[in-house]
């Protein structure tokens, strides 16, 4: 069999997209692990499976680099949004995900020459049971010092719906990854708090409408960006008054996105807007062993490099 794949990224969070008519036709976890190996064309952060849906124009499933399946992927959904909108020649669609049918839409370019899409991020819950996460007998962790994690970071636990631990930090915890890597490795290993692991993000407030977010992703490790994490970080920053705007620019190691966050009496409306860059089209034969038959790079990454350069001018001071 010859499989047609797209290599794509949202804010530098890199994925393969494969569309299937039969979800039962392959071990997607095994394929995802193989595709994401760093010595295999540079690897990726995950596999996005596009399949038929009775609830939307298509269904998206998310396989992490370690083969685990996640309930949601914000950067990936923007790329699937572009794939589906271009396939059906529409500018808006509804995509079925594990826990919600989400609206996606083509948007004006976030930066010159950058294909841009928005995606709804839902459902949202601050209840620890939704992650799941255990901490003493608490029902929620909301902007609190957790002494077992750190004595100078205020953490919030939230699911969107994949699990996130959001820490608002001072510059010393952004300047290097040591503390974040140690805590993330603990919470994604054998531990008493997060049985299924958790995405861990450190958030540095830049000004009243922008933050910097670095994420250690469950099932992957540090990535250039995590869309659900950036959106969750913008929501937490808005709720806790770290930013005053409802439209938050979120800078990250892979560039920047826009997060629109509205919250009122426990109701949350979240939208993630950013690039959907297609970097290559590939053919994979799966007869005996998996072999690449062709790799055709697009010219889209060059335009994206300009966005990265712009973002770096805004955040370079954090790493001096
Ligand atoms: N990078 C994705 C999130 C992918 C899933 C995550 N690693 C998890 O296991 O929850 C995003 O852009 O949201």
């Amino acid at each position: 069999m010859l499989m047609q794949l797209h290599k794509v990224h949202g804010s530098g969070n890199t994925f393969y997209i494969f569309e299937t008519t039969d979800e039962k036709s392959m071990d997607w976890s095994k394929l995802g692990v193989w595709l994401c190996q760093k010595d295999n064309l540079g690897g990726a952060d995950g596999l996005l499976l596009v399949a038929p849906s009775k609830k939307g124009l298509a269904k998206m499933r998310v396989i992490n680099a370690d083969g685990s399946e996640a309930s949601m992927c914000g950067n990936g959904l923007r790329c699937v949004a572009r794939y589906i909108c271009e396939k059906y020649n529409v500018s808006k669609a509804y995509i079925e995900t594990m826990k919600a049918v989400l609206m996606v839409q083509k948007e004006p370019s976030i930066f010159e020459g950058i294909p841009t899409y928005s995606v709804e991020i839902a459902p949202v819950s601050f209840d620890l049971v939704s992650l799941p996460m255990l901490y003493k007998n608490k029902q929620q962790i909301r902007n609190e010092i957790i002494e077992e994690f750190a004595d100078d970071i205020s953490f919030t636990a939230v699911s969107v719906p994949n699990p996130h631990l959001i820490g608002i930090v001072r510059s010393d915890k952004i300047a290097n990854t040591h503390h974040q890597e140690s805590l993330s490795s603990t919470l994604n290993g054998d531990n008493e708090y997060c049985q299924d692991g958790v995405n861990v993000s450190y958030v540095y407030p830049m000004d009243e409408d922008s933050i910097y977010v670095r994420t250690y992703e469950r099932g992957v490790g540090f990535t250039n960006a995590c869309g659900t994490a950036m959106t969750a970080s913008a929501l937490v920053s808005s709720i806790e008054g770290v930013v005053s705007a409802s439209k938050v620019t979120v800078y990250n190691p892979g560039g920047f996105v826009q997060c629109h966050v509205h919250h009122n009496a426990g109701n949350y409306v979240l939208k993630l807007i950013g690039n959907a860059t297609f970097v290559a089209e590939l053919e994979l034969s799966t007869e005996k062993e998996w072999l690449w038959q062709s790799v055709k790079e697009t010219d889209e990454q060059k335009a994206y490099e300009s966005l990265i350069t712009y973002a770096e001018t805004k955040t370079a001071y954090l790493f001096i």
Side-chain angles (χ1 to χ4, degrees), residues 101-204:
V101 179
L102 301 174
M103 189 183 87
V104 303
Q105 192 160 0
K106 183 168 176 49
E107 297 285 350
S109 290
I110 193 170
F111 197 80
E112 187 180 348
I114 304 294
T116 302
Y117 283 77
S118 65
V119 299
E120 184 185 358
I121 303 283
V124 176
S125 174
F126 288 91
D127 293 338
L128 292 183
V129 69
S130 74
L131 274 73
M133 184 173 183
L134 294 172
Y135 183 69
K136 298 179 180 174
N137 294 318
K138 292 182 71 67
Q139 286 195 329
Q140 297 188 350
I141 295 175
R142 299 293 293 262
N143 200 35
E144 302 177 42
I145 297 283
I146 304 295
E147 59 189 6
E148 295 85 346
F149 296 171
D151 57 13
D152 60 350
I153 300 176
S154 296
F155 283 107
T156 298
V158 59
S159 65
V160 289
N162 57 337
H164 291 273
L165 185 66
I166 309 292
I168 297 174
V169 301
R170 293 196 299 262
S171 58
D172 64 307
K173 292 289 191 304
I174 285 289
N176 66 65
T177 62
H178 303 321
H179 186 275
Q180 186 177 5
E181 182 155 25
S182 173
L183 176 60
S184 303
S185 299
T186 299
L187 297 178
N188 285 285
D190 183 13
N191 72 98
E192 60 183 291
Y193 308 104
C194 301
Q195 302 87 334
D196 296 344
V198 65
N199 300 286
V200 181
S201 295
Y202 282 13
V203 179
Y204 180 78

Side-chain angles (χ1 to χ4, degrees), residues 60 62 70-75 77 97-102 119-132 156-166 198-201 215 218 226-236 239 259-262 268-272:
M60 177 187 77
V62 184
S71 56
M72 181 50 190
C73 177
N75 287 326
L77 186 55
T97 65
M98 189 185 286
K99 296 194 177 170
V101 179
L102 301 174
V119 299
E120 184 185 358
I121 303 283
V124 176
S125 174
F126 288 91
D127 293 338
L128 292 183
V129 69
S130 74
L131 274 73
T156 298
V158 59
S159 65
V160 289
N162 57 337
H164 291 273
L165 185 66
I166 309 292
V198 65
N199 300 286
V200 181
S201 295
T215 303
R218 177 181 68 166
C226 177
T228 48
M230 292 190 283
T231 310
S233 298
L235 174 62
V236 169
I239 290 172
C259 294
H260 295 182
V261 295
H262 297 280
Y268 308 100
V269 179
L270 307 180
K271 185 158 75 168
L272 170 65

